[in-house]
Amino acid sequence: MSSVTATRTPSGPSTDRPVAPALAEALRPFVAGDLPVRLIAWDGSVAGPEDAPVVELRSPDALRRLLWHPGELGAAQAYVTGELDVPGDLDAALTYAFAVAKERGLSGRRPSPQAMISAVRTALELGEGRLGLLGRPPAPPASQARIRGRLHSKLRDIRSISHHYDLSNEFYSLILDPSMAYSCGYHASPDQPLEDAQFAKLSLICRKLGLQPGMRLLDVGCGWGSLSLHAAEHFGAQVTGVTIAAEQKKFIDARIAERGLQDRVTIRLLDYRDAVPAAGQEYDAVSSIEMGEHVGQDNYPTYATVLHDSVRPGGRVLVQQMSRTGKWPGGGPFIESFIAPDMYMRPVGETVAFLERGGLEVRDVHALREHYVLTVAGWIERFEANVERLTELVGEEVVRVWRLYLVGGSMAFRDGRMGVDQILMVKPGAPHSLPAVRDF
């Protein structure tokens, strides 16, 4: 695994106390016993079981971050900057850490004030008095999002989406399959190639929507155009896609020209709230693939209304969306700070209720959670195969952000902390014919 070169704290008053054993003792109240990992500190000292996953603290700055931001955020900041490293299999190490936390009941555990004081005292000593605990916290990593403005205003949404999606089209092309589908695929078997699984997913969506040649489709949050292009090329649809990511529109427009689809696909740089057609001009079908997570909890009723108002009576709507239970609807401190600011997920039942209250009749909910594990595995394989070029494009810190993101996301779907579903709906008001689920 590649790693950022961490900058050591300038030398100051020295201490003869080995760092790793001292930290292991100070951390006992926080980990409910002996250190569960093999800890290697910046002074070369070691503590913890020999057969446990290795964690390297390469700089006292890692302690500063953990003291200012205890838990996931501080650890993530230290990891992406290279002040903390986990050599070897990151998935195995994180899986082990989750298992230990569950076994020891560490979730929500609050160490005593005495334990906190002792930990701070140890950190001050081991950091050679240079941790600056009474001054400002360490500067956030350059890759951490800095999004300002009113939550889910149109300008803030553009900034949030840009943070994640405008890294560069080449960056994403080295991770995603050739269709550039940045969503869960549909895997017939665990060994099915990623490209085939994405083709199967796109075709499944088009069949569920009942697309026929000449039908008009609105693709809300069209990404890099995988569905928009697929619906036009393979089902003969007339497609309008909307996105607020300028890099995505630039990419899709080039593909439209390459494939001679100018008369069948139009991409608009447009907020979903401005995509509703005039009365009488509603689309025959509407899709929105893993975009609803980004509209926010308060705006979801508006999103549901947009979907409803954009389709003709009797027309079908398909939403593919991630779900989540627990106390972190945004995905947790790391995801919210580094990957997808302002994202909001909820249990699928709550999303279905929102869509029903928006006037749509839900006809089918198709769970794909296990499929996402396989999709992300394909992305990780491509990521690691192209890591040198990815590093040239975005730098080592962003590469570390993405390694943590992909591995952590795979684990969340594997362990059931997150799900993803295709929700098929119809707008009441006209006769329609909907095949049975088995006929899709």
Side-chain angles (χ1 to χ4, degrees):
M1 177 186 298
S2 63
S3 59
V4 175
T5 301
T7 302
R8 291 180 179 269
T9 299
S11 60
S14 63
T15 175
D16 294 329
R17 189 179 184 191
V19 171
L23 284 176
E25 184 61 31
L27 290 172
R28 287 187 63 84
F30 298 85
V31 299
D34 293 337
L35 198 65
V37 298
R38 185 70 166 173
L39 181 65
I40 302 175
W42 59 86
D43 67 341
S45 61
V46 180
E50 292 185 3
D51 58 348
V54 173
V55 175
E56 295 182 359
L57 290 181
R58 296 181 166 183
S59 166
D61 290 337
L63 296 185
R64 294 182 67 212
R65 297 192 187 279
L66 289 165
L67 286 168
W68 277 99
H69 301 289
E72 182 179 315
L73 179 57
Q77 288 180 331
Y79 175 80
V80 304
T81 56
E83 298 154 3
L84 179 153
D85 198 21
V86 183
D89 189 330
L90 184 59
D91 188 323
L94 292 176
T95 298
Y96 173 83
F98 271 86
V100 169
K102 182 177 181 180
E103 179 183 344
R104 299 189 183 185
L106 299 182
S107 178
R109 182 183 180 88
R110 294 178 178 272
S112 67
Q114 291 80 5
M116 291 294 298
I117 292 171
S118 176
V120 170
R121 184 181 297 118
T122 299
L124 281 167
E125 175 188 345
L126 297 178
E128 301 175 344
R130 306 177 71 88
L131 289 177
L133 293 174
L134 300 180
R136 294 179 178 273
S143 56
Q144 189 167 331
R146 295 163 177 82
I147 309 296
R148 295 182 175 84
R150 179 171 56 84
L151 184 63
H152 290 298
S153 65
K154 292 179 182 179
L155 180 58
R156 178 169 174 137
D157 278 356
I158 289 173
R159 290 168 176 165
S160 296
I161 292 299
S162 178
H163 171 79
H164 187 56
Y165 291 94
D166 287 347
L167 286 172
S168 81
N169 292 328
E170 183 183 355
F171 175 86
Y172 281 94
S173 72
L174 294 170
I175 299 172
L176 307 179
D177 78 295
S179 78
M180 294 286 278
Y182 188 28
S183 56
C184 180
Y186 190 63
H187 296 258
S189 64
D191 58 354
Q192 184 180 32
L194 177 62
E195 182 176 358
D196 293 351
Q198 293 293 10
F199 187 96
K201 181 271 300 293
L202 298 172
S203 294
L204 178 65
I205 291 171
C206 292
R207 292 197 303 273
K208 286 184 175 183
L209 288 171
L211 293 184
Q212 299 291 332
M215 289 180 65
R216 297 170 62 242
L217 170 68
L218 175 64
D219 190 8
V220 180
C222 61
W224 284 274
S226 60
L227 179 59
S228 295
L229 296 170
H230 189 91
E233 285 187 293
H234 298 281
F235 288 81
Q238 297 286 329
V239 185
T240 298
V242 297
T243 178
I244 59 173
E247 285 292 307
Q248 290 183 336
K249 174 174 166 48
K250 179 180 177 182
F251 178 90
I252 308 169
D253 285 344
R255 282 205 163 174
I256 290 170
E258 289 169 4
R259 301 180 188 187
L261 295 172
Q262 295 93 329
D263 60 336
R264 278 187 273 172
V265 184
T266 300
I267 303 300
R268 303 178 67 191
L269 197 62
L270 191 68
D271 188 277
Y272 73 94
R273 286 161 283 199
D274 300 321
V276 179
Q281 299 298 314
E282 293 89 352
Y283 293 86
D284 297 304
V286 175
S287 59
S288 189
I289 310 304
E290 295 187 26
M291 181 268 188
E293 302 89 339
H294 298 286
V295 306
Q297 178 74 342
D298 292 342
N299 281 0
Y300 206 87
T302 300
Y303 172 71
T305 298
V306 167
L307 299 177
H308 173 275
D309 292 351
S310 297
V311 70
R312 63 170 174 79
R316 302 177 194 174
V317 176
L318 187 139
V319 169
Q320 181 169 310
Q321 188 168 310
M322 292 181 285
S323 62
R324 189 175 177 91
T325 58
K327 67 176 183 176
W328 297 110
F334 167 66
I335 294 293
E336 295 166 33
S337 299
F338 288 88
I339 300 297
D342 304 338
M343 185 163 66
Y344 194 101
M345 295 170 285
R346 64 188 70 79
V348 63
E350 294 180 16
T351 293
V352 167
F354 270 119
L355 294 165
E356 288 179 328
R357 287 195 293 271
L360 293 165
E361 179 187 349
V362 175
R363 301 301 301 265
D364 180 61
V365 179
H366 186 175
L368 299 174
R369 178 177 64 82
E370 294 86 353
H371 293 255
Y372 227 148
V373 180
L374 299 172
T375 298
V376 178
W379 291 343
I380 291 174
E381 181 178 358
R382 288 178 55 81
F383 174 89
E384 295 297 352
N386 294 302
V387 71
E388 290 186 8
R389 177 57 183 158
L390 290 168
T391 304
E392 292 175 359
L393 288 171
V394 297
E396 203 158 359
E397 182 176 306
V398 175
V399 164
R400 289 173 71 87
V401 167
W402 268 75
R403 180 177 285 116
L404 186 57
Y405 165 51
L406 291 171
V407 170
S410 175
M411 291 172 56
F413 289 109
R414 180 197 67 196
D415 300 340
R417 296 190 299 277
M418 288 181 60
V420 63
D421 305 271
Q422 288 184 355
I423 305 170
L424 179 63
M425 297 157 282
V426 67
K427 180 175 179 176
H432 58 277
S433 173
L434 189 65
V437 173
R438 64 179 177 274
D439 293 333
F440 290 141

